[in-house]
Coordinates of all heavy atoms in Angstrom, one line a residue:
K1 N 63.4 11.3 48.9 CA 62.7 12.6 49.2 C 61.2 12.4 49.3 O 60.5 13.2 48.9 CB 63.1 13.7 48.3 CG 64.6 14.0 48.3 CD 64.9 15.1 47.4 CE 66.4 15.4 47.5 NZ 66.9 16.5 46.7
F2 N 60.8 11.2 49.7 CA 59.3 10.9 49.8 C 58.8 11.8 51.0 O 59.4 11.9 52.0 CB 59.1 9.5 50.2 CG 59.4 8.6 49.0 CD1 60.6 7.8 49.1 CD2 58.6 8.5 47.9 CE1 60.9 6.9 48.1 CE2 58.9 7.6 46.9 CZ 60.1 6.9 46.9
R3 N 57.7 12.4 50.7 CA 57.1 13.4 51.7 C 55.8 12.9 52.2 O 55.2 13.4 53.2 CB 56.9 14.7 51.1 CG 58.3 15.3 50.7 CD 58.1 16.8 50.4 NE 59.2 17.4 49.7 CZ 60.5 17.5 50.0 NH1 60.9 16.9 51.1 NH2 61.4 18.1 49.3
D4 N 55.2 11.8 51.6 CA 53.9 11.3 52.1 C 54.1 10.8 53.5 O 54.9 9.9 53.8 CB 53.4 10.2 51.2 CG 52.0 9.7 51.5 OD1 51.6 9.8 52.6 OD2 51.4 9.3 50.5
P5 N 53.3 11.3 54.5 CA 53.5 10.8 55.9 C 53.2 9.4 56.1 O 53.7 8.7 57.0 CB 52.5 11.7 56.6 CG 51.6 12.3 55.6 CD 52.3 12.3 54.3
R6 N 52.4 8.8 55.2 CA 52.1 7.3 55.3 C 53.4 6.5 55.1 O 53.5 5.4 55.6 CB 51.0 6.9 54.3 CG 49.7 7.5 54.6 CD 48.6 7.2 53.6 NE 49.1 7.8 52.3 CZ 48.5 7.7 51.2 NH1 47.4 6.9 51.1 NH2 48.9 8.3 50.1
V7 N 54.3 7.0 54.3 CA 55.6 6.3 54.1 C 56.4 6.2 55.4 O 57.0 5.2 55.7 CB 56.4 7.0 53.0 CG1 57.8 6.3 52.9 CG2 55.7 6.9 51.6
W8 N 56.4 7.3 56.1 CA 57.2 7.4 57.3 C 56.5 7.0 58.6 O 57.1 6.8 59.6 CB 57.8 8.8 57.4 CG 58.6 9.1 56.2 CD1 58.3 10.0 55.2 CD2 59.9 8.5 55.9 NE1 59.3 10.0 54.3 CE2 60.3 9.1 54.6 CE3 60.7 7.6 56.5 CZ2 61.4 8.7 54.0 CZ3 61.9 7.2 55.8 CH2 62.2 7.8 54.6
S9 N 55.2 6.8 58.6 CA 54.5 6.5 59.8 C 54.6 5.0 60.1 O 55.1 4.3 59.4 CB 53.0 6.9 59.6 OG 52.4 6.1 58.6
R10 N 54.1 4.7 61.3 CA 54.1 3.3 61.7 C 53.1 2.5 60.9 O 52.0 3.0 60.7 CB 53.8 3.2 63.2 CG 54.9 3.8 64.1 CD 54.5 3.6 65.6 NE 55.7 3.9 66.3 CZ 56.7 3.1 66.6 NH1 56.6 1.8 66.1 NH2 57.7 3.4 67.2
A11 N 53.4 1.3 60.5 CA 52.5 0.5 59.7 C 53.0 -1.0 59.8 O 54.2 -1.2 60.1 CB 52.5 0.9 58.3
E12 N 52.1 -1.9 59.5 CA 52.6 -3.3 59.3 C 53.4 -3.3 58.0 O 53.1 -2.5 57.1 CB 51.4 -4.2 59.1 CG 50.5 -4.3 60.3 CD 49.5 -3.2 60.4 OE1 49.4 -2.3 59.5 OE2 48.7 -3.2 61.5
R13 N 54.5 -4.0 58.0 CA 55.4 -4.0 56.9 C 56.0 -5.3 56.5 O 56.0 -6.3 57.3 CB 56.6 -3.1 57.3 CG 56.2 -1.6 57.6 CD 57.4 -0.7 57.7 NE 57.0 0.6 58.1 CZ 56.6 1.6 57.2 NH1 56.7 1.3 55.9 NH2 56.3 2.8 57.6
C14 N 56.4 -5.4 55.3 CA 57.1 -6.6 54.7 C 58.4 -6.1 54.1 O 58.5 -5.0 53.5 CB 56.2 -7.2 53.6 SG 54.6 -7.8 54.2
A15 N 59.4 -7.0 54.1 CA 60.7 -6.7 53.5 C 61.3 -8.0 53.0 O 61.0 -9.0 53.5 CB 61.6 -6.0 54.5
V16 N 62.2 -7.8 52.1 CA 63.0 -8.9 51.5 C 64.4 -8.5 51.5 O 64.7 -7.3 51.1 CB 62.5 -9.3 50.1 CG1 63.4 -10.4 49.5 CG2 61.0 -9.7 50.1
G17 N 65.3 -9.4 51.9 CA 66.7 -9.0 51.8 C 67.6 -10.2 51.6 O 67.2 -11.4 51.6
T18 N 68.9 -10.0 51.5 CA 69.9 -11.0 51.4 C 71.0 -10.8 52.3 O 71.3 -9.6 52.8 CB 70.5 -11.1 49.9 OG1 71.0 -9.8 49.6 CG2 69.4 -11.5 48.9
T19 N 71.8 -11.8 52.7 CA 72.9 -11.7 53.5 C 74.2 -11.8 52.6 O 74.1 -12.2 51.5 CB 72.9 -12.9 54.6 OG1 73.0 -14.1 53.9 CG2 71.7 -12.9 55.4
N20 N 75.3 -11.6 53.2 CA 76.6 -11.7 52.5 C 76.8 -13.1 52.0 O 77.5 -13.2 51.0 CB 77.8 -11.2 53.3 CG 77.9 -9.7 53.3 OD1 77.5 -9.0 52.4 ND2 78.5 -9.2 54.4
D21 N 76.3 -14.1 52.7 CA 76.6 -15.5 52.2 C 75.4 -16.0 51.3 O 75.4 -17.2 51.1 CB 76.8 -16.4 53.4 CG 75.6 -16.5 54.4 OD1 74.6 -15.8 54.2 OD2 75.7 -17.3 55.3
G22 N 74.6 -15.1 50.8 CA 73.6 -15.5 49.8 C 72.3 -16.0 50.4 O 71.4 -16.4 49.6
R23 N 72.0 -15.9 51.7 CA 70.7 -16.4 52.2 C 69.7 -15.3 51.9 O 70.0 -14.1 51.9 CB 70.8 -16.6 53.7 CG 71.7 -17.8 54.1 CD 71.7 -18.1 55.6 NE 72.5 -16.9 56.2 CZ 72.0 -16.2 57.2 NH1 70.9 -16.5 57.8 NH2 72.7 -15.2 57.7
L24 N 68.5 -15.8 51.7 CA 67.3 -14.9 51.5 C 66.6 -14.7 52.8 O 66.3 -15.7 53.5 CB 66.4 -15.5 50.4 CG 65.1 -14.8 50.1 CD1 65.4 -13.4 49.4 CD2 64.2 -15.6 49.2
I25 N 66.2 -13.5 53.1 CA 65.5 -13.2 54.3 C 64.1 -12.6 53.9 O 64.1 -11.6 53.1 CB 66.2 -12.2 55.2 CG1 67.5 -12.8 55.7 CG2 65.3 -11.7 56.4 CD1 68.4 -11.8 56.4
I26 N 63.1 -13.1 54.3 CA 61.7 -12.6 54.1 C 61.1 -12.2 55.4 O 61.1 -13.1 56.3 CB 60.8 -13.6 53.3 CG1 61.5 -14.0 52.0 CG2 59.5 -13.0 53.1 CD1 60.8 -15.1 51.3
F27 N 60.7 -11.0 55.6 CA 60.3 -10.5 56.9 C 58.9 -9.9 56.7 O 58.7 -9.1 55.8 CB 61.3 -9.4 57.3 CG 61.1 -8.8 58.7 CD1 61.8 -9.4 59.8 CD2 60.3 -7.7 58.8 CE1 61.6 -8.8 61.0 CE2 60.1 -7.2 60.1 CZ 60.7 -7.7 61.2
A28 N 58.0 -10.2 57.7 CA 56.7 -9.5 57.7 C 56.3 -9.4 59.2 O 56.6 -10.2 60.0 CB 55.7 -10.3 57.0
T29 N 55.6 -8.3 59.5 CA 55.2 -8.0 60.8 C 53.7 -7.5 60.8 O 53.4 -6.7 59.9 CB 56.1 -7.1 61.6 OG1 55.5 -6.9 62.9 CG2 56.2 -5.8 60.9
N30 N 52.9 -8.0 61.7 CA 51.6 -7.4 61.9 C 51.6 -6.4 63.0 O 50.5 -5.9 63.4 CB 50.5 -8.5 62.0 CG 50.8 -9.4 63.2 OD1 51.8 -9.2 63.9 ND2 50.0 -10.3 63.4
H31 N 52.8 -6.0 63.5 CA 52.9 -4.9 64.4 C 53.3 -3.6 63.7 O 54.1 -3.7 62.7 CB 53.9 -5.2 65.5 CG 53.6 -6.4 66.3 ND1 52.6 -6.4 67.3 CD2 54.0 -7.7 66.3 CE1 52.5 -7.6 67.8 NE2 53.4 -8.4 67.2
A32 N 52.8 -2.5 64.0 CA 53.1 -1.2 63.4 C 54.5 -0.8 63.7 O 54.8 -0.6 64.9 CB 52.1 -0.2 63.7
V33 N 55.4 -0.7 62.7 CA 56.8 -0.3 62.9 C 57.1 0.8 61.9 O 56.5 0.9 60.9 CB 57.8 -1.4 62.8 CG1 57.5 -2.5 63.8 CG2 57.7 -2.1 61.4
T34 N 58.1 1.6 62.2 CA 58.6 2.6 61.3 C 59.6 2.0 60.3 O 60.1 0.8 60.5 CB 59.4 3.8 62.0 OG1 60.5 3.2 62.6 CG2 58.4 4.4 63.0
L35 N 59.9 2.7 59.2 CA 60.9 2.2 58.3 C 62.3 2.0 59.0 O 63.0 1.0 58.7 CB 61.1 3.1 57.1 CG 60.0 3.0 56.0 CD1 60.2 4.1 55.0 CD2 60.0 1.7 55.4
S36 N 62.6 2.9 59.9 CA 63.9 2.8 60.6 C 63.9 1.5 61.5 O 64.9 0.8 61.5 CB 64.1 4.0 61.5 OG 64.3 5.1 60.7
E37 N 62.8 1.2 62.1 CA 62.7 0.0 63.0 C 62.8 -1.2 62.1 O 63.4 -2.2 62.5 CB 61.4 0.0 63.8 CG 61.4 1.1 64.9 CD 60.1 1.3 65.5 OE1 59.0 1.0 64.9 OE2 60.1 1.8 66.7
L38 N 62.1 -1.2 60.9 CA 62.2 -2.3 60.0 C 63.7 -2.5 59.5 O 64.2 -3.7 59.5 CB 61.3 -2.1 58.8 CG 61.4 -3.1 57.7 CD1 60.8 -4.5 58.2 CD2 60.6 -2.6 56.5
G39 N 64.3 -1.5 59.2 CA 65.7 -1.5 58.8 C 66.6 -2.1 59.9 O 67.5 -3.0 59.6
K40 N 66.4 -1.7 61.1 CA 67.2 -2.2 62.2 C 67.0 -3.7 62.4 O 67.9 -4.5 62.7 CB 66.9 -1.5 63.5 CG 67.5 -0.1 63.5 CD 67.1 0.7 64.8 CE 67.6 2.2 64.7 NZ 67.1 3.0 65.8
A41 N 65.7 -4.1 62.3 CA 65.4 -5.6 62.4 C 66.0 -6.4 61.3 O 66.6 -7.5 61.6 CB 63.8 -5.7 62.4
M42 N 66.0 -5.9 60.1 CA 66.7 -6.6 59.0 C 68.2 -6.7 59.3 O 68.8 -7.7 59.0 CB 66.4 -5.9 57.7 CG 65.0 -6.0 57.2 SD 64.4 -7.7 56.9 CE 65.2 -8.0 55.3
L43 N 68.8 -5.6 59.8 CA 70.2 -5.7 60.1 C 70.5 -6.7 61.2 O 71.5 -7.5 61.1 CB 70.7 -4.3 60.5 CG 70.9 -3.3 59.4 CD1 71.2 -1.9 60.1 CD2 72.0 -3.7 58.5
Q44 N 69.6 -6.8 62.2 CA 69.8 -7.7 63.3 C 69.8 -9.2 62.8 O 70.4 -10.0 63.4 CB 68.8 -7.5 64.4 CG 69.0 -6.3 65.2 CD 67.9 -6.0 66.3 OE1 66.9 -6.7 66.2 NE2 68.2 -5.1 67.2
V45 N 69.0 -9.5 61.8 CA 69.0 -10.9 61.3 C 70.0 -11.1 60.2 O 70.0 -12.2 59.6 CB 67.6 -11.3 60.8 CG1 66.6 -11.3 62.0 CG2 67.1 -10.4 59.7
G46 N 70.9 -10.1 59.9 CA 72.0 -10.3 59.0 C 71.9 -9.8 57.6 O 72.7 -10.1 56.7
A47 N 70.8 -9.1 57.3 CA 70.6 -8.6 56.0 C 71.7 -7.5 55.6 O 72.0 -6.6 56.5 CB 69.2 -7.9 55.8
T48 N 72.3 -7.6 54.5 CA 73.2 -6.6 54.0 C 72.6 -5.8 52.8 O 73.1 -4.7 52.5 CB 74.5 -7.2 53.5 OG1 74.2 -8.3 52.6 CG2 75.3 -7.8 54.7
N49 N 71.6 -6.3 52.2 CA 70.8 -5.7 51.2 C 69.3 -6.0 51.5 O 69.0 -7.1 51.7 CB 71.2 -6.2 49.8 CG 72.6 -5.8 49.4 OD1 72.9 -4.7 49.2 ND2 73.4 -6.8 49.3
A50 N 68.5 -5.0 51.4 CA 67.1 -5.2 51.7 C 66.2 -4.2 51.0 O 66.7 -3.1 50.7 CB 66.8 -5.2 53.2
V51 N 64.9 -4.5 50.8 CA 64.0 -3.6 50.3 C 62.7 -3.7 51.0 O 62.3 -4.8 51.4 CB 63.8 -3.8 48.7 CG1 63.2 -5.2 48.5 CG2 62.9 -2.8 48.1
N52 N 62.0 -2.6 51.3 CA 60.7 -2.6 51.9 C 59.7 -2.9 50.8 O 59.7 -2.3 49.8 CB 60.5 -1.2 52.5 CG 59.1 -1.0 53.2 OD1 58.7 -1.9 54.0 ND2 58.4 0.0 52.8
M53 N 58.8 -3.8 51.1 CA 57.7 -4.1 50.2 C 56.5 -3.4 50.6 O 56.5 -2.5 51.5 CB 57.5 -5.6 50.2 CG 58.8 -6.4 49.9 SD 59.4 -6.3 48.3 CE 58.3 -7.4 47.4
D54 N 55.3 -3.8 50.0 CA 54.1 -3.2 50.4 C 53.8 -3.5 51.9 O 54.2 -4.5 52.4 CB 53.0 -3.8 49.5 CG 51.7 -2.9 49.4 OD1 51.7 -1.8 50.2 OD2 50.8 -3.2 48.7
G55 N 53.0 -2.7 52.5 CA 52.7 -2.9 53.9 C 51.3 -2.5 54.3 O 50.4 -2.5 53.4
G56 N 51.1 -2.1 55.5 CA 49.8 -1.7 55.9 C 48.8 -2.9 55.9 O 49.2 -4.0 56.3
T57 N 47.6 -2.7 55.3 CA 46.7 -3.8 55.2 C 47.1 -4.8 54.2 O 46.5 -5.9 54.1 CB 45.3 -3.2 54.9 OG1 45.3 -2.5 53.7 CG2 44.8 -2.3 56.0
S58 N 48.1 -4.6 53.4 CA 48.6 -5.5 52.4 C 49.7 -6.5 53.0 O 50.1 -7.4 52.4 CB 49.3 -4.8 51.2 OG 48.3 -4.0 50.6
A59 N 50.2 -6.2 54.2 CA 51.2 -7.0 54.8 C 50.7 -8.4 55.0 O 49.7 -8.7 55.7 CB 51.7 -6.4 56.1
A60 N 51.4 -9.4 54.5 CA 51.0 -10.8 54.7 C 52.3 -11.7 54.5 O 53.2 -11.3 53.8 CB 50.0 -11.2 53.6
L61 N 52.2 -12.9 55.1 CA 53.3 -13.8 55.0 C 52.7 -15.2 55.1 O 52.2 -15.6 56.1 CB 54.4 -13.6 56.0 CG 55.6 -14.6 56.0 CD1 56.3 -14.5 54.7 CD2 56.5 -14.4 57.1
L62 N 52.9 -16.0 54.1 CA 52.5 -17.4 54.0 C 53.8 -18.2 53.9 O 54.5 -18.0 53.0 CB 51.6 -17.7 52.9 CG 51.1 -19.2 52.7 CD1 50.1 -19.5 53.7 CD2 50.5 -19.4 51.3
Y63 N 54.0 -19.1 54.9 CA 55.2 -19.9 54.9 C 54.9 -21.4 55.0 O 54.3 -21.8 56.0 CB 56.1 -19.5 56.1 CG 57.4 -20.3 56.2 CD1 58.4 -20.1 55.2 CD2 57.6 -21.2 57.2 CE1 59.6 -20.8 55.3 CE2 58.8 -21.9 57.2 CZ 59.8 -21.7 56.3 OH 61.0 -22.4 56.4
R64 N 55.2 -22.1 53.9 CA 55.0 -23.5 53.8 C 53.5 -23.9 54.2 O 53.3 -24.8 55.0 CB 56.0 -24.3 54.7 CG 57.4 -24.2 54.1 CD 58.4 -25.0 54.9 NE 59.7 -25.0 54.2 CZ 60.7 -25.5 54.7 NH1 60.7 -26.1 55.9 NH2 61.9 -25.4 54.0
G65 N 52.6 -23.1 53.7 CA 51.2 -23.4 53.9 C 50.6 -22.8 55.2 O 49.4 -22.9 55.4
D66 N 51.4 -22.2 56.0 CA 51.0 -21.6 57.3 C 51.0 -20.1 57.2 O 52.0 -19.5 56.9 CB 51.9 -22.0 58.4 CG 51.5 -21.6 59.8 OD1 50.3 -21.2 59.9 OD2 52.3 -21.7 60.7
L67 N 49.8 -19.5 57.3 CA 49.6 -18.1 57.2 C 50.1 -17.4 58.5 O 49.5 -17.4 59.6 CB 48.2 -17.7 57.0 CG 47.9 -16.2 56.6 CD1 48.6 -15.8 55.4 CD2 46.4 -16.0 56.4
K68 N 51.3 -16.9 58.5 CA 52.0 -16.3 59.6 C 51.5 -14.9 59.9 O 51.3 -14.5 61.0 CB 53.5 -16.2 59.4 CG 54.2 -17.6 59.2 CD 54.1 -18.4 60.4 CE 55.0 -19.7 60.2 NZ 54.9 -20.5 61.4
V69 N 51.3 -14.1 58.9 CA 50.8 -12.7 59.0 C 49.6 -12.6 58.0 O 49.8 -12.8 56.8 CB 51.9 -11.6 58.7 CG1 51.3 -10.2 58.7 CG2 53.0 -11.7 59.7
R70 N 48.4 -12.3 58.5 CA 47.2 -12.3 57.7 C 47.0 -10.9 57.2 O 47.0 -9.9 58.0 CB 46.0 -12.8 58.5 CG 44.7 -12.8 57.8 CD 43.6 -13.3 58.6 NE 43.8 -14.7 59.0 CZ 43.6 -15.8 58.3 NH1 43.1 -15.6 57.1 NH2 43.8 -17.0 58.8
P71 N 46.7 -10.7 55.9 CA 46.4 -9.4 55.3 C 45.0 -9.0 55.7 O 44.1 -9.8 56.0 CB 46.5 -9.6 53.8 CG 46.2 -11.0 53.6 CD 46.7 -11.7 54.8
A72 N 44.8 -7.7 55.8 CA 43.4 -7.2 56.2 C 42.6 -6.9 54.9 O 41.5 -6.4 55.1 CB 43.6 -5.9 57.0
R73 N 43.1 -7.2 53.7 CA 42.3 -7.0 52.5 C 42.8 -8.1 51.5 O 43.8 -8.7 51.7 CB 42.5 -5.6 52.0 CG 43.9 -5.3 51.5 CD 44.0 -3.9 51.1 NE 45.3 -3.6 50.5 CZ 45.5 -3.6 49.2 NH1 44.6 -3.9 48.3 NH2 46.7 -3.3 48.7
K74 N 42.0 -8.2 50.4 CA 42.4 -9.1 49.3 C 43.6 -8.6 48.6 O 43.8 -7.4 48.4 CB 41.2 -9.3 48.3 CG 40.0 -10.0 48.9 CD 39.0 -10.1 47.9 CE 37.8 -10.9 48.5 NZ 36.7 -11.0 47.5
L75 N 44.5 -9.5 48.3 CA 45.8 -9.1 47.6 C 45.7 -9.4 46.2 O 45.2 -10.5 45.8 CB 47.0 -9.8 48.3 CG 47.1 -9.5 49.8 CD1 48.3 -10.3 50.3 CD2 47.3 -8.0 50.1
T76 N 46.3 -8.6 45.3 CA 46.4 -8.8 43.9 C 47.8 -9.0 43.4 O 48.0 -9.4 42.3 CB 45.7 -7.7 43.1 OG1 46.4 -6.4 43.4 CG2 44.3 -7.5 43.4
N77 N 48.8 -8.7 44.3 CA 50.2 -8.8 43.9 C 50.9 -9.7 45.0 O 50.7 -9.4 46.2 CB 50.9 -7.5 43.8 CG 50.3 -6.6 42.7 OD1 50.4 -7.0 41.6 ND2 49.7 -5.5 43.1
L78 N 51.7 -10.6 44.5 CA 52.4 -11.5 45.4 C 53.9 -11.6 45.1 O 54.2 -11.5 43.9 CB 51.8 -12.9 45.4 CG 50.3 -13.0 45.6 CD1 49.8 -14.4 45.3 CD2 49.9 -12.6 47.1
F79 N 54.7 -11.8 46.0 CA 56.1 -12.1 45.9 C 56.2 -13.6 46.3 O 56.0 -13.9 47.5 CB 56.9 -11.2 46.7 CG 58.4 -11.4 46.6 CD1 59.1 -11.0 45.6 CD2 59.1 -12.1 47.6 CE1 60.5 -11.2 45.5 CE2 60.5 -12.3 47.5 CZ 61.2 -11.9 46.5
V80 N 56.6 -14.5 45.4 CA 56.6 -15.9 45.6 C 58.0 -16.4 45.5 O 58.7 -16.1 44.5 CB 55.7 -16.7 44.6 CG1 55.7 -18.2 44.9 CG2 54.2 -16.1 44.7
V81 N 58.4 -17.2 46.5 CA 59.7 -17.9 46.4 C 59.5 -19.4 46.5 O 58.8 -19.9 47.4 CB 60.6 -17.4 47.6 CG1 62.0 -18.2 47.6 CG2 60.8 -15.9 47.6
Y82 N 60.1 -20.1 45.6 CA 60.0 -21.6 45.6 C 61.3 -22.2 46.1 O 62.4 -21.7 45.8 CB 59.7 -22.1 44.2 CG 58.4 -21.8 43.6 CD1 58.2 -20.7 42.8 CD2 57.3 -22.6 44.0 CE1 56.9 -20.4 42.3 CE2 56.0 -22.3 43.5 CZ 55.9 -21.2 42.6 OH 54.6 -20.9 42.1
E83 N 61.2 -23.2 46.9 CA 62.4 -23.9 47.3 C 63.0 -24.6 46.2 O 64.2 -24.8 46.1 CB 62.1 -25.0 48.4 CG 61.7 -24.3 49.7 CD 61.5 -25.3 50.8 OE1 62.4 -26.0 51.2 OE2 60.4 -25.3 51.4
R84 N 62.2 -25.1 45.2 CA 62.6 -25.7 44.0 C 61.8 -25.2 42.9 O 60.6 -25.0 43.0 CB 62.5 -27.2 44.2 CG 62.9 -28.0 43.0 CD 62.8 -29.5 43.3 NE 62.9 -30.4 42.1 CZ 64.0 -30.7 41.5 NH1 65.1 -30.2 41.9 NH2 64.0 -31.4 40.4
S85 N 62.4 -25.0 41.8 CA 61.6 -24.4 40.6 C 60.5 -25.3 40.2 O 60.6 -26.5 40.1 CB 62.6 -24.2 39.4 OG 61.8 -23.8 38.3
P86 N 59.3 -24.7 40.1 CA 58.1 -25.5 39.7 C 58.2 -25.9 38.2 O 57.4 -26.7 37.7 CB 56.9 -24.6 40.0 CG 57.5 -23.2 39.9 CD 58.9 -23.3 40.4
F87 N 59.2 -25.3 37.5 CA 59.3 -25.6 36.1 C 60.3 -26.7 35.7 O 60.4 -27.0 34.6 CB 59.7 -24.3 35.4 CG 58.8 -23.1 35.7 CD1 59.1 -22.1 36.5 CD2 57.5 -23.1 35.1 CE1 58.2 -21.1 36.8 CE2 56.6 -22.1 35.4 CZ 57.0 -21.1 36.3
L88 N 61.0 -27.2 36.7 CA 62.0 -28.3 36.4 C 61.3 -29.6 36.4 O 60.3 -29.8 37.1 CB 63.0 -28.3 37.5 CG 64.0 -27.2 37.6 CD1 64.9 -27.3 38.8 CD2 64.8 -27.0 36.3
L89 N 61.7 -30.5 35.5 CA 61.2 -31.8 35.5 C 61.7 -32.6 36.7 O 62.7 -32.3 37.2 CB 61.7 -32.5 34.2 CG 61.2 -31.8 32.9 CD1 61.8 -32.5 31.7 CD2 59.7 -31.9 32.8
P90 N 60.9 -33.7 37.1 CA 61.3 -34.4 38.3 C 62.8 -35.0 38.2 O 63.4 -35.2 39.2 CB 60.3 -35.6 38.3 CG 59.1 -35.0 37.6 CD 59.7 -34.1 36.5
S91 N 63.3 -35.2 37.0 CA 64.7 -35.8 36.9 C 65.7 -34.7 37.0 O 66.9 -35.0 37.1 CB 64.8 -36.5 35.6 OG 64.6 -35.6 34.5
D92 N 65.4 -33.4 37.0 CA 66.4 -32.3 37.1 C 67.0 -32.2 38.5 O 66.4 -32.3 39.5 CB 65.7 -31.0 36.7 CG 65.5 -31.0 35.2 OD1 66.1 -31.8 34.5 OD2 64.6 -30.2 34.7

């Protein structure tokens, strides 16, 4: 029952989701989309569970050192996924 028009308006958006077979989907766009359009895009790539993250000028995506979607402001919160835990010893 969110009523703030900024929630429902078009904005750059980020989302994270999973598929039925356990794959992780991380999605970001620098094109303004609605929540419904974001949801449809997540479904199209196979997401069965997903959550909308921060968006607007906070939307950003860095993938393997390549900045795919650049934020328009400094960010203080990040969602980080490692391919391998940085806490494991090299022999693990």
Side-chain angles (χ1 to χ4, degrees):
K1 298 183 181 182
F2 293 105
R3 299 195 196 299
D4 187 333
R6 292 174 296 175
V7 172
W8 300 108
S9 64
R10 291 183 170 278
E12 294 84 3
R13 298 190 183 271
C14 299
V16 176
T18 57
T19 63
N20 277 337
D21 61 356
R23 290 180 295 129
L24 178 66
I25 298 170
I26 301 173
F27 183 94
T29 179
N30 56 2
H31 297 286
V33 297
T34 65
L35 280 175
S36 295
E37 291 167 337
L38 177 66
K40 288 176 186 175
M42 291 297 284
L43 286 171
Q44 286 178 347
V45 296
T48 53
N49 293 291
V51 62
N52 178 53
M53 306 292 280
D54 201 357
T57 58
S58 298
L61 178 63
L62 178 74
Y63 179 71
R64 294 185 174 171
D66 185 16
L67 190 58
K68 303 288 188 181
V69 175
R70 181 176 299 279
R73 65 185 188 95
K74 292 181 179 180
L75 301 178
T76 57
N77 297 299
L78 305 170
F79 180 78
V80 179
V81 178
Y82 292 97
E83 290 184 60
R84 179 172 166 80
S85 172
F87 305 107
L88 293 177
L89 298 175
S91 62
D92 289 340

